[in-house]
Amino acid sequence: MSSDMIAARPAPDQRHGIVGWLRANLFSGPINSIVTVVVLALLVRLLWPVLDWALIDADWVGSTRQACTGDGACWVFISVRLNQIVYGFYPEAMRWRVDIVFALFALLAIPRLPFKRIVGVFALIGFPVIAWVLLLGGVFGLTPVPTRQWGGLMLTLTIAAVGIVGSLPIGVLLALGRRSKMPLVKGASVVFIEFWRGVPLITVLFMASVMLPLFAPAGTEFDKLLRALIGIMLFWSAYMAEVVRSGLQAIPTGQGEAGAALGLSYWQRMGLIILPQALKLVIPGIVNTFIALFKDTSLVLIIGLFDLLAVIQSGLTDSAWLGFAIEGYVFAALVYWVFCFSMSRYSQYIERRLHTGH
Amino acid sequence: MSEASATVTDQSMISINRLNKWYGDFHVLRDIDLEVAKGERIVICGPSGSGKSTLIRCINHLERHQQGDITVGGVHMTNDIKRIEQIRRNVGMVFQHFNLFPHLTVLENCCLSPIWVQKKPRREAERTAMEYLERVRIANQAQKYPGQLSGGQQQRVAIARALCMHPEVMLFDEPTSALDPEMIKEVLDVMIELAREGMTMLCVTHEMGFAKTVADRVIFMDEGQIVESAPPQALFNNPQSPRTKEFLSQILGH
């Protein structure tokens, strides 16, 4: 028997650079090596034509159809109508207003801005008001731009942002309502959630744009975009409610009891203890819903709003540019993907930042 | 023991009259009568399911009773939320599973209620919190999150958090049952200190050593009733009821 304590030793080194990794994971034996080579060959075979079409054989510069000489994609189709894809039919002279809103949005999306509290209040109250004034105009000497002239990426982002910002708080209230001990509040929440989850978004949009004006008193006119926004917000808030409720259920009852024992009121317990933990827990679910919402904004084209996809689609019917559907749809997909992937990465970053080791 | 009795005054802190509670059809508390004087230290013991936790959870209305009266610090408990919150501000509670808020630091845990309930300025709340954290010997961990602390440390933070509200009564619901053996002592030491300072305490625990050291009275409960209530020496050495005898032989016998 040894009388000395065993001293701590460093853990064994498990990886030896790229070669070591390759040997361990891809070429650990004859069968593995063959599989690796075959899969690599297949990947090259499949991906090469795509790269060839999209990048190598593609046409990039020009302003007319005559520039499309190669066998690959002709991105000139996109570049000549990029303005329309971004701004829709927003009057050219006033597009700086949209640019300012874009710039503010990008600025607020930067994580870890200083003056957290002021920036937060500005993002939630100041920014929407400024964006609304700038985009719509009609005050402070700004020429009014009716919403039927809005379109493209700018419209897509507007719908997505309003949907996201609106559906989360409504969803939280519905989730709390569904767990309420008051029968009336609980009943109303359940009915609301089950109704909106039970109808397809397309029906909601049709109802909002076709049915609602029929029931409204003659002479009153709601903005078509506003109706779509309200429909989308209520529709997604029902989904959000269930995501948030799953988070609420994961918080141990002891948390609420400890808050109650400290004399905190119901809303203080929810706002300071339960929701911060529950929402953090369901960030993946919330962002999942945000991403679905973002992509489903493309459904507004069926009620005649010209969002990103609708603008690109309308470009396909331009007689001077027939036959560029693949370029159009690939580009649309790419734009949607970039935004959705950014949201996904952003949420992972937030999750890491909020982690407190429990 | 004699030192402990000397500080007890006749002023009533908690008064419970013919308290009855049911969970569905199960009669969990039966005709409970209990008077707790200011500064009195009471240990409640009994087999599991005997209603001890339910009883002390009724005192700050974490459980709702169906019959009987509870008065805490002169406030008569009704279902009015304002009164309940008034009582809760005056009653600190420590739980078996600590129930610290994992998303807040130790210091924020302690400041939450003083800031939001008592509306104290943040700086003052933090100063008070640091004083109490000092007293439970954990001030050096103030900026950590609960998940980074051991069980014993977490429970001491929970005690400090309750004390930050300056309660007149402290309720302990099996505060050492979830702890590893080597951490029980550090929590009990803090509780003993608190008892010596004259805090009114109701403590559900099976730590009979603690009961002998600080309790003015030990209450034995079984099947929702108070079977026996006596000073620790009397209860341990000369139990009157056969059920008390049996229970004591089980927990002291080994």
Side-chain angles (χ1 to χ4, degrees):
Chain A
M1 234 167 79
S2 159
S3 59
D4 296 333
M5 299 288 274
I6 298 169
R9 290 188 294 266
D13 195 7
Q14 287 184 319
R15 264 179 291 176
H16 314 274
I18 297 167
V19 179
W21 184 87
L22 283 175
R23 190 166 291 160
N25 292 288
L26 298 178
F27 299 99
S28 60
I31 296 176
N32 259 355
S33 304
I34 291 168
V35 170
T36 301
V37 170
V38 169
V39 168
L40 265 177
L42 269 175
L43 274 179
V44 170
R45 229 2 231 287
L46 288 172
L47 282 180
W48 181 252
V50 176
L51 284 177
D52 195 34
W53 175 82
L55 301 174
I56 296 162
D57 249 358
D59 302 300
W60 296 89
V61 281
S63 55
T64 60
R65 200 186 165 142
Q66 277 64 49
C68 302
T69 50
D71 289 334
C74 185
W75 299 117
V76 180
F77 170 70
I78 300 296
S79 63
V80 296
R81 46 190 75 232
L82 198 60
N83 270 328
Q84 205 187 39
I85 290 172
V86 174
Y87 302 101
F89 309 106
Y90 210 87
E92 231 172 312
M94 280 165 269
R95 286 181 181 166
W96 60 271
R97 280 153 53 176
V98 182
D99 293 335
I100 291 181
V101 174
F102 278 157
L104 272 178
F105 180 76
L107 191 73
L108 288 173
I110 298 171
R112 282 181 187 269
L113 282 178
F115 311 113
K116 210 164 110 186
R117 195 158 290 183
I118 301 167
V119 169
V121 170
F122 178 74
L124 282 177
I125 298 163
F127 175 66
V129 172
I130 291 175
W132 186 65
V133 166
L134 276 176
L135 293 180
L136 208 55
V139 281
F140 305 125
L142 294 167
T143 322
V145 181
T147 56
R148 69 188 127 78
Q149 288 184 305
W150 298 17
L153 181 65
M154 165 241 165
L155 182 66
T156 295
L157 289 180
T158 305
I159 298 172
V162 172
I164 284 171
V165 171
S167 64
L168 185 59
I170 302 175
V172 167
L173 288 178
L174 285 170
L176 292 176
R178 194 165 184 166
R179 283 167 58 87
S180 168
K181 287 189 191 108
M182 290 180 269
L184 201 67
V185 175
K186 187 189 168 110
S189 305
V190 170
V191 168
F192 184 97
I193 291 169
E194 296 306 337
F195 171 77
W196 288 99
R197 276 203 310 174
V199 289
L201 183 53
I202 290 210
T203 349
V204 174
L205 291 172
F206 264 129
M207 296 271 274
S209 76
V210 182
M211 301 278 283
L212 213 64
L214 290 181
F215 296 126
T220 52
E221 206 182 318
F222 285 114
D223 189 272
K224 194 202 267 179
L225 176 63
L226 185 66
R227 278 178 278 153
L229 284 177
I230 292 171
I232 286 172
M233 211 149 72
L234 296 180
F235 179 86
W236 287 103
S237 66
Y239 281 84
M240 200 56 80
E242 291 298 278
V243 172
V244 173
R245 191 166 69 94
S246 69
L248 293 175
Q249 276 171 346
I251 305 301
T253 48
Q255 290 290 306
E257 284 178 353
L262 285 168
L264 295 165
S265 70
Y266 172 83
W267 289 107
Q268 287 174 333
R269 292 199 303 270
M270 292 303 136
L272 297 168
I273 300 167
I274 309 293
L275 281 173
Q277 295 183 59
L279 292 178
K280 183 167 76 180
L281 215 56
V282 293
I283 286 175
I286 291 176
V287 174
N288 205 23
T289 311
F290 283 171
I291 287 176
L293 185 157
F294 188 89
K295 290 188 297 187
D296 278 6
T297 56
S298 54
L299 286 174
V300 297
L301 79 92
I302 61 140
I303 58 164
L305 291 173
F306 277 83
D307 74 322
L308 176 72
L309 190 63
V311 165
I312 290 176
Q313 244 180 358
S314 74
L316 301 178
T317 57
D318 182 345
S319 55
W321 286 92
L322 289 175
F324 290 95
I326 300 178
E327 282 87 343
Y329 285 121
V330 165
F331 181 74
L334 194 69
V335 174
Y336 280 109
W337 182 81
V338 164
F339 277 98
C340 293
F341 185 66
S342 311
M343 279 196 269
S344 159
R345 302 303 301 188
Y346 197 80
S347 82
Q348 282 171 21
Y349 166 79
I350 303 256
E351 265 183 83
R352 273 198 304 276
R353 229 182 89 184
L354 293 179
H355 186 70
T356 56
H358 61 87
Chain B
M1 186 56 224
S2 58
E3 174 202 67
S5 320
T7 59
V8 176
T9 64
D10 289 320
Q11 214 180 334
S12 170
M13 196 65 227
I14 299 170
S15 166
I16 298 175
N17 274 312
R18 299 197 74 74
L19 181 73
N20 278 283
K21 178 173 172 60
W22 289 262
Y23 286 129
D25 286 334
F26 179 58
H27 197 172
V28 56
L29 293 178
R30 308 177 191 183
D31 292 340
I32 302 278
D33 287 309
L34 181 64
E35 289 290 329
V36 182
K38 195 171 167 53
E40 200 175 7
R41 282 137 298 196
I42 293 179
V43 163
I44 304 172
C45 62
S48 73
S50 59
K52 4 181 239 308
S53 286
T54 310
L55 172 61
I56 69 164
R57 285 162 61 86
C58 281
I59 293 172
N60 63 354
H61 204 271
L62 288 184
E63 301 282 351
R64 188 171 171 172
H65 59 277
Q66 282 97 353
Q67 282 175 9
D69 294 296
I70 300 177
T71 306
V72 183
V75 181
H76 183 238
M77 173 110 60
T78 62
N79 282 329
D80 175 26
I81 190 69
K82 288 279 160 257
R83 284 214 185 176
I84 293 169
E85 282 170 5
Q86 194 185 346
I87 289 174
R88 283 171 176 171
R89 283 197 289 273
N90 199 19
V91 178
M93 186 158 199
V94 175
F95 299 84
Q96 181 178 359
H97 296 289
F98 330 135
N99 295 356
L100 293 177
F101 307 131
H103 61 302
L104 301 176
T105 63
V106 165
L107 186 63
E108 287 166 341
N109 262 278
C110 294
C111 292
L112 194 69
S113 195
I115 288 174
W116 289 90
V117 178
Q118 295 178 328
K119 314 285 181 201
K120 281 191 185 163
R122 175 171 294 273
R123 193 157 300 174
E124 191 190 326
E126 283 181 354
R127 201 172 52 232
T128 313
M130 286 310 292
E131 276 168 27
Y132 280 111
L133 288 171
E134 201 80 58
R135 274 176 55 184
V136 301
R137 293 176 284 278
I138 203 148
N140 53 340
Q141 316 273 9
Q143 298 307 328
K144 285 195 180 170
Y145 287 95
Q148 297 166 308
L149 304 182
S150 74
Q153 290 173 321
Q154 289 192 48
Q155 194 61 300
R156 284 185 282 144
V157 172
I159 294 173
R161 178 177 72 177
L163 290 175
C164 281
M165 291 291 285
H166 302 298
E168 287 191 277
V169 184
M170 284 286 284
L171 307 174
F172 293 86
D173 189 0
E174 306 209 25
T176 55
S177 304
L179 295 175
D180 289 335
E182 77 257 36
M183 291 169 186
I184 291 177
K185 189 176 173 295
E186 64 185 60
V187 172
L188 288 180
D189 283 347
V190 168
M191 290 169 62
I192 290 169
E193 232 175 270
L194 198 59
R196 295 235 158 96
E197 286 161 18
M199 175 66 78
T200 311
M201 290 165 74
L202 266 85
C203 198
V204 174
T205 183
H206 291 153
E207 294 294 333
M208 291 305 142
F210 171 77
K212 280 177 193 159
T213 316
V214 303
D216 299 308
R217 247 196 302 165
V218 176
I219 289 173
F220 173 71
M221 282 183 74
D222 193 19
E223 293 182 4
Q225 303 167 49
I226 294 181
V227 176
E228 208 166 333
S229 167
Q233 300 302 337
L235 191 109
F236 294 142
N237 299 335
N238 188 19
Q240 302 299 308
S241 146
R243 277 185 289 172
T244 317
K245 268 181 207 159
E246 194 193 332
F247 176 75
L248 288 175
S249 72
Q250 276 163 359
I251 64 163
L252 298 173
H254 54 79

